[in-house]
């Protein structure tokens, strides 16, 4: 079978989860039985004891008081400690900061501002396509510009609105449209008049148009991570293409009386290649590219948020080290900010007086694993096997990269080990390419000379070892011997030489 089969993936996961669930239920039943037996023995009267000593309620109250006091003492002790972080909002990557804190994006900021500023004259702004790696300022700049437009429009009696949705967890067009409805209602401060379920997608569209027409003169729809809205596979074009088509033509066909602009944001530079011809014709966006931040820009970003901490609590090496770690991961500013925040929180938990370099290194391990865990939780068993095989090769290779041909050999071994369905090599490669949208892996075509031919090589944005450890938390993958996998990888790498 050469395509993702939702039923097959569900069976793979549910079988494992069902086994785990039954085992957990059995363990819980045994523990309850043991606990029940222990209580029976403890409650037997001791001839030498007093009635107070054998009174279960008195014992329970004493235990509860002790536990309550212990928690209270810990809370008060933490409350009395001198914290290190003064403003936690500044350490939230999603927080819209003041303009003077936006650094390294002057060109993009000017472009987006000039294109959207026509809303100030009660006119229709153009549609935009903002693309580039994760954490390069696309969402931040859009939010900052729209926030300033909104403030100025208030003084001019123009009803301007920003309706923003993140498409990462939206699986169908209908779900996406209803999310737009709820966000539009929140922005306007009005109730939604159609239910989430039991109505057609057209009724949801009609409700969105009603809310916008009644409450706004001009609206910017911000569709973040739009490339993740793929939708049902039985459709001729992805859901994000149909969403763009409906929104961008709503003004011309009379559904919307308000001026609208659609800002599509994507990590996938080739997303527009998957947009259908009708949507291409009606959307016609202005493109704004966001490239990676370098280490110096990341240092500047962190220094502009340094006042999130109290004075003199960050040692000098903290910001350069966090910036260096983030620069290794596609220049991701979100990661840089997260690293400093987590380092500060780790220092606070230790009741330390300062945030040290060691706290940043510990934060790096934690943030990296959390990010990988967040991604792999939502992918199918087959994609996990593809990713595990490729990461196993990268972890053992001198270059830290993995050829697709070797990764596929290891993938074959993994599927045989757990008796899972095995895809052809082309499908294996396609699934690895799909994972590039999560910024975990990237790929390029390589050649080691005129006689070696071309081959596909995958590089990892995170440590391959961290990816392997995280994927091993899946019970099916954990069944596979890590030593045997390494032996297979070693043999395949030797054959390549």
């Amino acid at each position: 079978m050469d395509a993702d089969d939702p039923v097959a993936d569900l069976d793979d996961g549910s079988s494992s989860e069902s086994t785990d669930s039954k085992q957990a239920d059995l363990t819980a039943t045994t523990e309850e039985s043991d606990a029940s037996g222990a209580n029976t023995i403890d409650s037997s009267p001791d001839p030498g004891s007093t009635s107070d000593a054998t009174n279960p309620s008195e014992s329970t109250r004493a235990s509860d008081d002790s536990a309550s006091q212990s928690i209270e003492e810990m809370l008060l002790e933490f409350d009395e400690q001198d914290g290190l972080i003064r403003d936690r909002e500044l350490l939230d990557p999603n927080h819209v900061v003041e303009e003077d804190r936006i650094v390294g994006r002057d060109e993009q900021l000017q472009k987006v501002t000039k294109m959207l500023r026509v809303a100030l004259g009660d006119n229709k702004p153009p549609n935009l396509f903002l693309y580039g790696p994760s954490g390069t300022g696309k969402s931040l700049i859009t939010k900052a510009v729209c926030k300033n437009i909104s403030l100025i429009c208030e003084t001019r009696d123009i009803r301007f609105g920003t309706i923003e949705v993140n498409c990462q967890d939206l699986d169908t067009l209908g779900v996406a449209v209803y999310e737009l409805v709820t966000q539009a209602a929140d922005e306007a401060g009005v109730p939604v008049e159609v239910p989430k379920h039991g109505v057609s997608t057209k009724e949801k569209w009609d409700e969105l148009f009603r809310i916008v027409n009644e409450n706004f003169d001009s609206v910017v729809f911000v569709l973040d991570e739009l490339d993740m809205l793929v939708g049902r596979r039985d459709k001729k074009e992805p859901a994000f293409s149909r969403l763009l088509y409906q929104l961008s033509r709503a003004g011309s066909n009379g559904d919307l009386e308000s001026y609208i602009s659609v800002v599509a944001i994507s990590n996938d530079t080739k997303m527009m290649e998957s947009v259908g011809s009708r949507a291409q014709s009606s959307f016609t966006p202005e493109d704004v590219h966001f490239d990676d931040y370098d280490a110096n820009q990341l240092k500047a970003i962190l220094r502009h948020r340094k006042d999130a901490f109290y004075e003199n609590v960050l040692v000098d090496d903290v910001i350069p080290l966090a910036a260096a770690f983030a620069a290794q991961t596609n220049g991701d500013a979100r990661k840089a900010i997260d690293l400093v925040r987590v380092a500060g929180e780790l220092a606070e938990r230790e009741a330390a007086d300062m945030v040290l370099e060691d706290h940043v290194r510990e934060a790096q391990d934690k943030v990296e694993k959390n990010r990988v865990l967040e991604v792999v939780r939502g992918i199918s068993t087959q994609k996990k096997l593809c990713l595990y095989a490729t990461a196993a090769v990268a972890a053992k290779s001198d270059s830290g990269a993995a050829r697709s041909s070797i990764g596929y050999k290891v993938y074959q071994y993994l599927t045989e080990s757990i008796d899972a369905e095995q895809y052809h090599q082309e499908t294996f490669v396609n699934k690895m390419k799909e994972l590039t949208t999560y910024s975990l892996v990237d790929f390029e075509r390589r050649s080691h000379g005129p006689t070696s031919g071309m081959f596909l090589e995958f590089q990892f944005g995170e440590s391959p070892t961290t990816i392997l450890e995280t994927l091993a938390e899946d019970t099916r993958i954990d069944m596979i011997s890590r030593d045997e996998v390494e032996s297979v990888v070693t043999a395949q790498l030797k054959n390549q030489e």
Side-chain angles (χ1 to χ4, degrees):
M1 177 172 171
D2 290 345
D4 255 336
D5 183 351
V7 177
D9 289 339
L10 181 60
D11 289 342
D12 286 346
S14 62
S15 171
S16 172
E17 290 169 5
S18 175
T19 304
D20 292 346
S21 177
K22 289 175 182 176
Q23 183 64 39
D25 290 343
L26 179 61
T27 304
T29 304
T30 305
E31 289 173 351
E32 288 170 8
S33 175
D34 291 345
S36 175
N39 288 339
T40 304
I41 294 170
D42 291 341
S43 61
S44 302
D46 183 346
S49 64
T50 65
S51 59
D52 287 340
T54 58
N55 186 328
S57 62
E58 290 290 338
S59 175
T60 302
R61 278 199 298 271
S63 175
D64 287 347
D65 289 342
S66 174
S68 175
Q69 184 61 34
S70 175
I71 293 172
E72 183 181 354
E73 287 176 353
M74 286 190 290
L75 289 172
L76 290 173
E77 180 183 359
F78 181 77
D79 188 50
E80 291 171 1
Q81 290 176 3
D82 292 331
L84 303 177
I85 301 174
R86 172 167 45 194
D87 185 353
R88 294 181 190 274
E89 264 196 344
L90 278 178
L91 300 179
D92 177 1
N94 296 316
H95 175 62
V96 182
V97 295
E98 298 85 354
E99 185 178 342
D100 59 0
R101 295 184 190 272
I102 300 176
V103 296
R105 285 293 175 262
D106 292 347
E107 180 183 347
Q108 291 84 351
L109 181 60
Q110 286 185 11
K111 282 184 178 179
V112 173
T113 302
K114 287 179 180 178
M115 291 172 186
L116 293 183
R117 69 181 178 184
V118 298
L120 296 174
D122 198 16
N123 291 306
K124 181 189 181 307
N127 298 321
L128 305 180
F129 176 47
L130 277 52
Y131 63 96
S134 176
T136 51
K138 302 183 295 295
S139 302
L140 173 64
I141 283 180
T142 304
K143 291 176 183 177
V145 172
C146 287
K147 181 179 178 181
N148 279 274
I149 290 174
S150 180
L151 292 173
I152 297 173
C153 281
E154 284 181 12
T155 66
R156 300 184 179 184
D157 201 26
I158 298 173
R159 299 177 302 169
F160 175 83
T162 306
I163 300 171
E164 179 190 2
V165 296
N166 188 300
C167 301
Q168 182 174 8
D169 298 320
L170 307 179
D171 51 4
T172 67
L173 178 62
V175 171
V177 175
Y178 195 81
E179 184 65 17
L180 286 171
V181 170
T182 57
Q183 294 301 320
D186 286 346
E187 179 78 354
V190 298
V192 177
E193 296 182 3
V194 298
K196 185 174 184 178
H197 304 290
V199 297
S200 67
T201 301
K202 183 183 184 308
E203 289 175 274
K204 296 174 184 178
W205 277 117
D206 290 342
E207 177 67 356
L208 175 63
F209 298 149
R210 181 192 68 80
I211 293 172
V212 172
N213 285 332
E214 292 179 0
N215 296 279
F216 300 104
D217 299 315
S218 182
V219 165
V220 173
F221 288 96
V222 181
L223 310 177
D224 206 354
E225 298 191 76
L226 180 59
D227 55 290
M228 303 298 285
L229 180 62
V230 178
R232 291 166 48 185
R233 294 184 177 88
D234 60 345
K235 298 294 184 181
K236 292 182 179 179
E237 57 184 314
F240 63 74
S241 177
R242 288 176 280 139
L243 181 64
L244 287 176
Y245 175 66
Q246 293 287 353
L247 275 178
S248 56
R249 69 189 289 270
S252 59
N253 65 11
D255 288 327
L256 280 177
E257 300 167 3
S258 309
Y259 295 120
I260 72 160
S261 169
V262 180
V263 178
I265 300 176
S266 174
N267 300 336
D268 183 1
T269 58
K270 298 182 179 180
M271 187 199 81
M272 291 302 296
E273 295 178 8
S274 300
V275 173
S277 57
R278 293 188 309 163
Q280 288 270 16
S281 176
S282 61
F283 181 43
T284 58
E286 299 283 348
D287 293 356
V288 183
H289 175 246
F290 289 71
D291 50 8
D292 298 342
Y293 287 113
D294 61 32
N296 288 329
Q297 289 173 323
L298 291 169
K299 279 190 282 187
I301 289 169
L302 294 179
R303 288 193 179 111
H304 278 73
R305 299 187 186 224
K306 185 177 180 181
D307 55 325
F309 293 87
Y310 288 100
E311 288 187 22
N312 303 319
V313 300
L314 294 180
V315 299
D316 292 341
D317 291 337
V318 163
I319 286 179
L321 183 60
F325 277 135
Q328 294 171 3
T329 314
N330 298 324
D332 191 334
R334 289 176 181 271
K335 180 173 180 178
I337 296 166
D338 274 339
L339 278 174
V340 173
R341 174 184 57 80
V342 174
E345 290 172 350
L346 290 171
E348 285 184 331
R349 287 171 201 162
E350 294 175 5
D353 296 328
M354 301 185 77
V355 183
L356 307 175
E357 184 179 324
D358 286 345
H359 293 128
V360 179
R361 295 188 183 280
E362 188 179 348
Q364 160 71 358
D365 293 337
K366 185 174 181 180
V367 168
E368 191 173 64
K369 188 164 186 180
N370 284 348
R371 199 175 86 83
V372 175
L373 185 61
E374 182 182 339
V375 170
V376 301
R377 266 198 196 119
I379 64 177
S380 67
T381 299
Q382 279 291 338
K383 281 184 180 176
K384 288 179 183 179
L385 291 170
C386 295
L387 185 60
Y388 190 91
T390 310
V393 176
K396 294 290 287 183
S397 70
D398 294 335
S399 64
R403 286 194 188 188
S404 60
S405 56
I406 300 176
Y408 182 66
K409 294 287 186 184
V410 180
Y411 162 79
Q412 288 179 305
Y413 170 78
L414 296 178
T415 54
E416 290 166 2
S417 297
I418 62 173
D419 196 26
E421 186 175 1
Q422 190 173 110
Y423 290 163
H424 294 311
Q425 186 168 349
E426 182 182 355
T427 305
F428 165 83
V429 170
N430 287 337
K431 292 199 174 299
M432 285 302 302
K433 287 180 178 179
E434 288 173 13
L435 289 168
T436 60
T437 60
Y438 300 98
S439 299
L440 280 184
V441 293
D442 203 352
F443 68 91
E444 62 178 329
R445 295 193 178 278
R446 299 283 302 277
S447 173
H448 286 318
T451 60
S452 69
M454 298 295 293
F455 58 87
L456 205 64
E457 188 174 74
F458 290 96
Q459 301 95 19
F460 285 83
E462 306 288 356
S463 162
T465 302
T466 300
I467 291 172
L468 292 172
E469 291 171 352
T470 307
L471 286 169
E473 295 180 14
D474 184 299
T475 53
R476 297 195 73 192
I477 292 177
D478 192 43
M479 292 163 52
I480 306 168
S481 167
R482 179 75 178 271
D483 291 338
E484 290 181 13
V485 174
E486 288 187 1
S487 297
V488 172
V489 171
T490 300
Q492 291 298 325
L493 288 172
K494 190 173 182 180
N495 289 340
Q496 170 193 297
E497 295 174 356

